[in-house]
C-alpha cells in the first residue's frame, strides 16, 4: 500500500522577467506537481465554465482602471475583478480538495495563506537580466523590453495590492525571497527544491 | 466664494473621489464627509449648531405631516431625507421576503414558458418584465434574477445571453424612471419636492413608456439576427428540458404572501396622494406586514437590510446639506441660469443632457441629491415651473445611467452575473448597444418634455 502523499502547494510570485514562471515549471516537473498558471486556469475556465479562453487570458491577472469601475453589493462591473475573484475561489477549491500544485501568481500566497502546506517564494532579478530575458522571450529590442519589464512588474504589483492587504514583494508574505540573477533560474530552482525537501522531511 | 463654500465644495469633491475610486466603501466615504461637513463647515466656518440640527432633520420624524399628509405630498426641508431612507428600508424587507419565496424566478420562468422559449419573444417579454417590475422594485433585484434566468435559458438554447442581458438592464432603468419608487433619484426628487406617485406616473411614466417602446424596437431590430438557437434542429425544441416555473417556488405559503404584500405595496403607493399616507409610512407598513407574516424568519429578514446603503444616504444628505446651506448650490444655479439666458428650452436641455452624461459615469444618487436644490433655485429665479425641471432631472439621471457599464447599479449587477457565468461584457460590447439606445431615449425625453411641459 502506497503511503498517501502529503499535500504541498508551492506559490511563486515574481517580478516580470525574473524567470519566476520558468522556475515554477522546473519545480513542478521535479516534484511531479501540477503547474497552475494563467494558461491552465484559462483552459479550465473555458472547458468547465463556458468562458472564452482568449477573453480569460485578456482580462486575467491584470490591474484595472479604478475610475471606470463600480462595486454594488458585492457585484463589480470590472471583468478583471470578476475573473480574479473566480480564480481565487478556484484556487481555494483546489486546495480544499487536497490537491498539490505549483501556482504562479494569482495572489496565491495570500489567497491560500491558511494552508500550512503552502510554501511561498518571491523571485526577483537584476534589471539587466530581466531586460535580457524579456528581449529573448518576446523578441523585443532593448528599449521596448525595458519598458515591458517595468510595466509588467508594475502590473503584478498593482494587481496584487488591490486584492491583498499585504504588499507585493514584502518579505513577510513569503517563505523565501530570492534573486534569480545570482545563480540563474535552473540553479535557483534547485535551491528552492532543497528548501521544499527540507520541509517535506521535517 | 466664501470660506464655508470652499470647504463644503472641497469635502464634496473629496467624497466623490472616494466614492469613484472605492478607496473606502461608499457609505464610509459619505459618513466621513458628513462628519467633516458638520465639524468644518457648520461649526467652524458658520458657527451654527442650529444648521446642524436643521440638516440632521431628526425633528421631522415627530411631525405628523411626515407620516400622514392628506392632499398633496409634503416636501422635505433639506438635510437628511428620512422619508427616502425609511421607505428604502421598508422596501428592502419586502423584496428580500419576495426573493426568498421564489417570486422573481417564478415570474421569469413562467413568462419564458408563456412565449414558448422563442428567442425574439423571450427578448421582448423579458425587456417588458424588467421595466414593469423595476417600476416598484429596485432594479438591482430585478436584474439579479432576470440575468440569472436569462443565462440559464440561453445556455439551454445555445444562445449568447449578452445582448439580452444588456437589453434587460436598459429596460430596468427605463422602468425605474417611470415611478417615484422605481429609482433612488426619483424617491429623492419626489420626497424633497413633494410630488406623489401619481405625479411621477403621468409625467415621467408617460415618457418612460415612449422610451420603452423605442428601446424594444431598437433592441429587437439590432439583435433579432443574433438571437439564434444553436442547440436544437428545427422541430426538436421539445427535447430541451426547461426548468419548471413551479420549481422556483421555495415556500408556497411565503410565495402567495409575497404576491399579496406586493399588491398591497403597489396599491398603497398608487393611492398615497388620496390616502394621505406618505412614502415613509408606506415603507414602515410594508416592512411591518412582511415581518409579522414572516413569523420566525422576521429576524433574518431584518438582518438582510442593507444598512450600508442607508448609511450612505444619511451621509450624502448631510454633505449636500452643506452645499445647500452655504449657498453654493444657488451659485451653481446662477451659472446655469446665466448659460441658458432664462430660456426654458435651453434650461431643460442643459439639465437633461448634463444629468444624462454625468449619470453615465458617476453615481446618479449623489448627483440627483445635489441637483434638487439647484433646480429649486433655478425655478424660483427663472420662473420655470419646478415640476418641469423635476421631470427633466429625473429623466436625465435615470435614462443617462444606461449609457455605460458603471452608470447605474443594475448595469453593474447584470454585468457581474453574466461574468460569473462565463459571459464577459466589456465596455465596448456594452456601449455598442447602450450608447445609441441612451441617445435615442434621452432625446425622446427631451422632445416630450418640450411638447408637454414647455
Amino acid at each position: 500500500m502506497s503511503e498517501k502523499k502529503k499535500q504541498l502547494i508551492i506559490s511563486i510570485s515574481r517580478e516580470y522577467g525574473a524567470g519566476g514562471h520558468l522556475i515554477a515549471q522546473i519545480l513542478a516537473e521535479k516534484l511531479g506537481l501540477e503547474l497552475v498558471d494563467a494558461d491552465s486556469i484559462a483552459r479550465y475556465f473555458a472547458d468547465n465554465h463556458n468562458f472564452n479562453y482568449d477573453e480569460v487570458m485578456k482580462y486575467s491577472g491584470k490591474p484595472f482602471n479604478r475610475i471606470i469601475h463600480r462595486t454594488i453589493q458585492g457585484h463589480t462591473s470590472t471583468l478583471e475583478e470578476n475573473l480574479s475573484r473566480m480564480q481565487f475561489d478556484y484556487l481555494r477549491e483546489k486546495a480544499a480538495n487536497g490537491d498539490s500544485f505549483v501556482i504562479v501568481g494569482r495572489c496565491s500566497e495570500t489567497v491560500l495563506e491558511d494552508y500550512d502546506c503552502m510554501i511561498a517564494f518571491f523571485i526577483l532579478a537584476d534589471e539587466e537580466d530581466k531586460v535580457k530575458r524579456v528581449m529573448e522571450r518576446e523578441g523585443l529590442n532593448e528599449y521596448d523590453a525595458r519598458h515591458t519589464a517595468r510595466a509588467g512588474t508594475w502590473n503584478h504589483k498593482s494587481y496584487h495590492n488591490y486584492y491583498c492587504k499585504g504588499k507585493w514583494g514584502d518579505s513577510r508574505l513569503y517563505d523565501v525571497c530570492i534573486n534569480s540573477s545570482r545563480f540563474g533560474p535552473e540553479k535557483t530552482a534547485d535551491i528552492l527544491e532543497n528548501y521544499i525537501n527540507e520541509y517535506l522531511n521535517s | 466664494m466664501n470660506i464655508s463654500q470652499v470647504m463644503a465644495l472641497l469635502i464634496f469633491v473629496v467624497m466623490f473621489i472616494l466614492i469613484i475610486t472605492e478607496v473606502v466603501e461608499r457609505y464610509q466615504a459619505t459618513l466621513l464627509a458628513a462628519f467633516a461637513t458638520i465639524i468644518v463647515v457648520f461649526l467652524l466656518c458658520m458657527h451654527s449648531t442650529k444648521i446642524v440640527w436643521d440638516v440632521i432633520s431628526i425633528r421631522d420624524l415627530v411631525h405628523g405631516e411626515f407620516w400622514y399628509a392628506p392632499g398633496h405630498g409634503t416636501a422635505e426641508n433639506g438635510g437628511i431625507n428620512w422619508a427616502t431612507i425609511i421607505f428604502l428600508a421598508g422596501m428592502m424587507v419586502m423584496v428580500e421576503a419576495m426573493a426568498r419565496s421564489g417570486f422573481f424566478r417564478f415570474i421569469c420562468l413562467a413568462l419564458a414558458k408563456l412565449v414558448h422559449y422563442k428567442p425574439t419573444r423571450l427578448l421582448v417579454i423579458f425587456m417588458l418584465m424588467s421595466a414593469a417590475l423595476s417600476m416598484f422594485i429596485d432594479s438591482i433585484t430585478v436584474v439579479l434574477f432576470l440575468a440569472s434566468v436569462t443565462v440559464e435559458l440561453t445556455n439551454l438554447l445555445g444562445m449568447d445571453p449578452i445582448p439580452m442581458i444588456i437589453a434587460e438592464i436598459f429596460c430596468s432603468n427605463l422602468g425605474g424612471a417611470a415611478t417615484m419608487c422605481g429609482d433612488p433619484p426619483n424617491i429623492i426628487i419626489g420626497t424633497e419636492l413633494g410630488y406623489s406617485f401619481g405625479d411621477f406616473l403621468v409625467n415621467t411614466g408617460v415618457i418612460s413608456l415612449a422610451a420603452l417602446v423605442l428601446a424594444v424596437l431598437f433592441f429587437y431590430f439590432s439583435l433579432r439576427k443574433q438571437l439564434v438557437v444553436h442547440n436544437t434542429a428545427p422541430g426538436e425544441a421539445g427535447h430541451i428540458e426547461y426548468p419548471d416555473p413551479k420549481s422556483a417556488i421555495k415556500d408556497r405559503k411565503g410565495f402567495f404572501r409575497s404576491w399579496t404584500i406586493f399588491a398591497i405595496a403597489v396599491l398603497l403607493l398608487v393611492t398615497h396622494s388620496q390616502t394621505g399616507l406618505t412614502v415613509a409610512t408606506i415603507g414602515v407598513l410594508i416592512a411591518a406586514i412582511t415581518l409579522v407574516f414572516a413569523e420566525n424568519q422576521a429576524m433574518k429578514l431584518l438582518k438582510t437590510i442593507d444598512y450600508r446603503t442607508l448609511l450612505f444616504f444619511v451621509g450624502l444628505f448631510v454633505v449636500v446639506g452643506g452645499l445647500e446651506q452655504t449657498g453654493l448650490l444657488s451659485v451653481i444655479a446662477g451659472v446655469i441660469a446665466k448659460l441658458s439666458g432664462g430660456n426654458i428650452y435651453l434650461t431643460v436641455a442643459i439639465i437633461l443632457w448634463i444629468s444624462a452624461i454625468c449619470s453615465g459615469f458617476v453615481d446618479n444618487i449623489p448627483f440627483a441629491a445635489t441637483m434638487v436644490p439647484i433646480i429649486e433655485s433655478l425655478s424660483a429665479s427663472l420662473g420655470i415651473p419646478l415640476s418641469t425641471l423635476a421631470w427633466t432631472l429625473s429623466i436625465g439621471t435615470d435614462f443617462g445611467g444606461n449609457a455605460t457599464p458603471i452608470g447605474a447599479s443594475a448595469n453593474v449587477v447584470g454585468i457581474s452575473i453574466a461574468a460569473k457565468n462565463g459571459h464577459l461584457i466589456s465596455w465596448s460590447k456594452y456601449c455598442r448597444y447602450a450608447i445609441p439606445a441612451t441617445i435615442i431615449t434621452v432625446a425622446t425625453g427631451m422632445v416630450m418634455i418640450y411638447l408637454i411641459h414647455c
Side-chain angles (χ1 to χ4, degrees), chain B residues 331-406:
Chain B
V331 174
I332 296 170
V335 173
I336 297 175
K338 212 173 169 183
L339 277 176
S340 69
N343 181 314
I344 185 169
Y345 293 98
L346 205 51
T347 311
V348 165
I350 290 172
I351 292 175
L352 186 76
W353 287 100
I354 287 182
S355 306
I357 293 166
C358 289
S359 299
F361 295 95
V362 299
D363 194 334
N364 63 6
I365 298 169
F367 184 83
T370 314
M371 284 298 289
V372 167
I374 293 178
I375 62 167
E376 277 186 292
S377 181
L378 271 175
S379 167
S381 63
L382 300 179
I384 298 172
L386 182 57
S387 58
T388 303
L389 299 181
W391 312 140
T392 305
L393 177 62
S394 162
I395 294 298
T397 50
D398 294 338
F399 286 11
N402 263 325
T404 71
I406 57 167

Side-chain angles (χ1 to χ4, degrees), chain A residues 48-189:
Chain A
N48 297 282
H49 294 290
N50 273 334
F51 280 88
N52 175 299
Y53 171 85
D54 293 330
E55 282 188 332
V56 179
M57 287 301 279
K58 182 178 172 187
Y59 295 108
S60 287
K62 307 248 173 20
F64 54 85
N65 189 335
R66 300 273 289 269
I67 304 294
I68 52 169
H69 155 86
R70 241 180 110 182
T71 305
I72 301 286
Q73 295 176 10
H75 295 277
T76 170
S77 64
T78 310
L79 304 181
E80 289 88 342
E81 183 167 356
N82 274 307
L83 273 171
S84 294
R85 299 214 181 272
M86 288 177 76
Q87 294 182 354
F88 299 157
D89 288 341
Y90 166 65
L91 293 182
R92 287 189 195 101
E93 204 179 298
K94 233 176 138 40
N97 281 343
D99 292 1
S100 293
F101 52 95
V102 178
I103 164 75
V104 184
R106 316 292 119 176
C107 304
S108 46
E109 88 294 330
T110 302
V111 171
L112 303 176
E113 66 188 349
D114 293 338
Y115 288 85
D116 289 337
C117 60
M118 195 248 326
I119 301 176
F121 299 130
F122 184 83
I123 316 294
L124 59 149
D126 295 345
E127 167 108 354
E128 294 313 312
D129 288 326
K130 287 190 282 186
V131 173
K132 203 175 147 198
R133 187 167 291 111
V134 173
M135 282 170 74
E136 283 167 9
R137 192 176 63 197
E138 299 178 26
L140 299 174
N141 61 35
E142 190 188 335
Y143 177 84
D144 288 342
R146 194 174 298 279
H147 174 76
T148 304
R150 283 181 186 166
T153 295
W154 184 86
N155 277 349
H156 287 327
K157 185 178 173 180
S158 315
Y159 165 78
H160 180 280
N161 291 351
Y162 176 75
Y163 298 106
C164 307
K165 275 187 184 164
K167 297 290 173 206
W168 179 84
D170 181 335
S171 59
R172 287 167 293 189
L173 289 182
Y174 313 94
D175 292 273
V176 177
C177 295
I178 191 162
N179 186 335
S180 65
S181 292
R182 184 71 68 187
F183 304 110
E186 289 77 10
K187 185 75 181 156
T188 305

Side-chain angles (χ1 to χ4, degrees), chain B residues 28-290:
Chain B
Q28 292 169 330
T30 64
L31 286 181
L32 275 170
F35 185 69
T37 300
I38 290 171
I39 302 293
V40 179
V41 179
F42 298 149
L43 298 179
L44 293 177
C45 296
M46 299 173 83
H47 309 290
S48 172
T49 48
K50 182 184 176 296
I51 293 177
V52 176
W53 287 111
D54 284 348
V55 168
I56 291 175
S57 308
I58 203 84
R59 286 184 299 240
D60 288 355
L61 296 173
V62 293
H63 286 168
E65 274 210 332
F66 181 85
W67 304 101
Y68 178 67
H72 211 265
T74 51
E76 290 281 318
N77 300 316
I80 299 175
N81 185 331
W82 291 108
T84 294
I85 293 165
I86 293 170
F87 176 73
L88 284 175
M91 292 303 273
M92 282 175 191
V93 172
M94 180 190 78
V95 169
E96 180 61 29
M98 289 166 80
R100 283 172 181 233
S101 72
F103 178 95
F104 298 110
R105 189 170 152 78
F106 171 82
I107 297 182
C108 297
L109 292 177
L111 285 177
K113 192 177 178 184
L114 189 74
V115 297
H116 305 292
Y117 308 97
K118 301 283 182 212
T120 47
R121 290 186 201 170
L122 210 55
L123 170 76
V124 174
I125 199 86
F126 275 10
M127 286 174 79
L128 296 178
M129 178 175 57
S130 178
L133 282 176
S134 297
M135 289 169 68
F136 302 97
I137 288 161
D138 73 282
S139 54
I140 297 177
T141 308
V142 173
V143 170
L144 193 69
F145 283 91
L146 200 47
S148 302
V149 171
T150 301
V151 169
E152 190 178 340
L153 292 178
T154 51
N155 278 348
L156 286 172
L157 293 164
M159 281 164 48
D160 179 9
I162 290 177
M164 274 182 79
I165 291 175
I166 296 172
E168 289 158 8
I169 291 169
F170 198 92
C171 290
S172 159
N173 290 324
L174 293 184
T179 66
M180 183 172 162
C181 61
D183 211 17
N186 284 13
I187 306 171
I188 295 170
I189 294 168
T191 49
E192 291 277 344
L193 304 177
Y195 294 119
S196 68
F197 188 90
D199 293 332
F200 271 89
L201 205 58
V202 297
N203 291 288
T204 59
V206 172
I207 297 171
S208 297
L209 183 64
L212 179 66
V213 171
L214 289 174
V216 170
L217 290 173
F218 174 84
F219 281 104
Y220 176 80
F221 286 109
S222 308
L223 304 178
R224 65 190 167 142
K225 284 181 186 163
Q226 291 183 47
L227 299 175
V228 182
V229 174
H230 292 295
N231 269 3
T232 54
E236 288 181 355
H239 292 296
I240 301 176
E241 276 203 22
Y242 295 104
D244 180 5
K246 284 179 192 160
S247 69
I249 303 171
K250 292 172 194 160
D251 161 19
R252 222 174 156 70
K253 226 167 96 182
F255 178 77
F256 290 109
R257 220 161 37 212
S258 287
W259 272 104
T260 311
I261 295 172
F262 180 56
I264 292 171
V266 172
L267 189 69
L268 286 174
L269 284 165
V270 172
T271 59
H272 85 112
S273 59
Q274 285 81 35
T275 59
L277 298 177
T278 63
V279 288
T281 309
I282 294 171
V284 171
L285 278 175
I286 291 303
I289 297 170
T290 307

